[in-house]
Amino acid sequence: GAVVSQHPSRVICKSGTSVKIECRSLDFQATTMFWYRQFPKKSLMLMATSNEGSKATYEQGVEKDKFLINHASLTLSTLTVTSAHPEDSSFYICSAYRRNTEAFFGQGTRLTVV
Amino acid sequence: RKEVEQDPGPFNVPEGATVAFNCTYSNSASQSFFWYRQDCRKEPKLLMSVYSSGNEDGRFTAQLNRASQYISLLIRDSKLSDSATYLCVVGRDSNYQLIWGAGTKLIIKP
């Protein structure tokens, strides 16, 4: 079964609304999770590092007020895209790194803002 | 300069051939290296980690050259099912944050 579960897999929202994406590690505790974004035919880009119990660390150029990250427990991180615009339409993927093994990825969320 | 660079391809290769990809990275402090495979519209999946001594897994061989700061992936006896995008991934010195190459698209033709 999936080690990291991401929900929803697809979402269509209206411009100006907010969308929340959940990422859960199912069989291990993830003190750190990562959020990536992938535009068509482009590589995954690290957006932010989500740390349990503390503020997320954002990559340069990623607006922290637009992409709100909450990592309230050792198994759940959420990404909220606030006031979404069509240019935010993308494939968002979370991952959790289990020490000394590998990074496990969620199934991804395809966001379309209309 | 990008942190991780790959030739985007596509590489069109006949079935059964051997194909090799290279990937260069800019951060000399990088400690972990991986090759991931991504199929269209799917999440990436780990193909193999890359160790300093090089490693082999079946038809796949990965090499690391720290002096020149590149890693390579060799696929022997390619199969149709090998068609995918291969992503070079480098872990920052924190060993948690993964920096991704743009991927190399491989198309295996019958």
Side-chain angles (χ1 to χ4, degrees):
Chain A
V3 179
V4 174
S5 176
Q6 185 174 340
H7 178 81
S9 59
R10 302 179 71 92
V11 59
I12 300 173
C13 71
K14 291 184 177 181
S15 187
T17 61
S18 295
V19 174
K20 179 184 283 189
I21 303 170
E22 292 187 349
C23 181
R24 294 179 184 274
S25 58
L26 299 182
D27 60 356
F28 67 99
Q29 293 182 332
T31 55
T32 306
M33 290 186 177
F34 306 93
W35 288 95
Y36 297 87
R37 177 169 56 183
Q38 186 177 34
F39 291 107
K41 299 186 179 181
K42 300 289 185 182
S43 64
L44 282 86
M45 297 294 294
L46 177 65
M47 297 176 66
T49 302
S50 169
N51 301 296
E52 187 268 337
S54 64
K55 290 183 179 180
T57 304
Y58 290 82
E59 294 298 300
Q60 191 174 10
V62 178
E63 300 175 59
K64 61 181 180 181
D65 294 330
K66 182 169 184 61
F67 299 98
L68 300 179
I69 291 173
N70 185 282
H71 194 155
S73 77
L74 290 171
T75 59
L76 173 64
S77 176
T78 61
L79 168 69
T80 302
V81 183
T82 63
S83 187
H85 289 283
E87 57 265 30
D88 298 325
S89 299
S90 185
F91 191 51
Y92 293 85
I93 303 179
C94 70
S95 80
Y97 187 88
R98 189 164 68 185
R99 191 184 287 272
N100 297 324
T101 56
E102 62 181 274
F104 295 94
F105 286 86
Q107 301 92 326
T109 298
R110 186 161 300 280
L111 171 64
T112 303
V113 184
V114 298
Chain B
R1 183 185 173 188
K2 294 180 181 178
E3 283 192 70
V4 179
E5 294 201 67
Q6 290 182 255
D7 182 341
F11 284 47
N12 291 284
V13 175
E15 190 176 8
T18 296
V19 60
F21 310 134
N22 276 348
C23 163
T24 58
Y25 61 95
S26 61
N27 185 351
S28 59
S30 301
Q31 294 296 321
S32 52
F33 308 89
F34 312 91
W35 283 103
Y36 276 75
R37 169 191 171 134
Q38 186 174 27
D39 294 292
C40 189
R41 292 175 173 255
K42 302 280 188 181
E43 76 274 21
K45 293 190 183 298
L46 179 67
L47 180 64
M48 58 198 306
S49 301
V50 186
Y51 303 119
S52 296
S53 56
N55 48 304
E56 186 175 313
D57 183 4
R59 297 182 293 109
F60 299 85
T61 301
Q63 297 280 350
L64 167 64
N65 185 317
R66 285 191 183 275
S68 300
Q69 294 184 202
Y70 75 85
I71 66 174
S72 63
L73 176 68
L74 181 77
I75 305 175
R76 290 181 297 277
D77 187 24
S78 54
K79 313 288 185 190
L80 294 175
S81 57
D82 293 334
S83 296
T85 296
Y86 290 83
L87 301 163
C88 168
V89 187
V90 176
R92 281 182 180 163
D93 51 9
S94 67
N95 215 27
Y96 286 94
Q97 298 165 331
L98 302 180
I99 307 302
W100 298 74
T104 298
K105 186 170 185 178
L106 174 64
I107 300 170
I108 305 298
K109 298 191 171 183

